[in-house]
Amino acid sequence: MVNREILIEGSTVGRPRKPWTETVHAFLEHLRSRDVPVPRPLALDEQFEYVSLVDGLGGDDAWTAHVTSEAGHSMGQLLRRVHDAAREWSPPDDACWSVPHTPSGTICHGDPKPANFAWRNGRAVGLFDWDAARPAEPVNDLAYALLWSVPVRIRPMPERTASEQLAADARAAALLEGYGWEGPFEVAELAIARHRQAINEVEWLGSHDHEPHASWVREGWPDRWRRELRAVRP
């Protein structure tokens, strides 16, 4: 699979500039003004955006930090801070987001999987990679976080043992408790629906020549993801 070009020099991260980057930078500035631990926008040029590096363990190495209930609880707490602060922000009239969206008073991260959190001592202490931000209902972020942190089965894999299932259930409950969610939450149903939405968004971005999505579409990944999903969720 093709990855985006990411440049890291010291405490500065350079990422490909997108049509929605300026809107996202304005939103990040608001979040930082509310003491939410997100990247600080630094500069833009014709090709790249530059933001501060969020302290903590992140990226693929972070996947080992999401396996405890305490980690899930901290993810939920941080998402709640994001959503509460987001409701205090009014997007500019010319706001641009990465994917089609429905009106909402909340701006969601859009891709809150464990690899996009910064981790310290097994706790989520920051949230980065905001390219997928968009207006959405909070359940959108929660479903995506649960999809990857429980994780919910979206491809064939060995069945969990009883103890593994108990641990997965505990992670889901801890994330929702950390967020302060009240009421029922059909974890599997909502997470699977969010995964289907993510696949559709990859195709939409690919059709507009955004990378790495266009390469993923050419390589047939959306169709593979759907086949895997049907194999476990007919």
Side-chain angles (χ1 to χ4, degrees), residues 188-209:
E189 179 182 337
L190 290 168
I192 293 302
R194 183 62 183 86
H195 183 56
R196 291 193 179 102
Q197 178 187 346
I199 297 171
N200 293 337
E201 290 173 352
V202 165
E203 290 182 323
W204 189 90
L205 288 162
S207 71
H208 290 75
D209 296 323

Side-chain angles (χ1 to χ4, degrees), residues 149-160:
S149 62
V150 172
V152 176
R153 294 178 71 238
I154 56 175
R155 55 181 53 91
M157 62 179 66
E159 291 292 334
R160 291 190 179 112

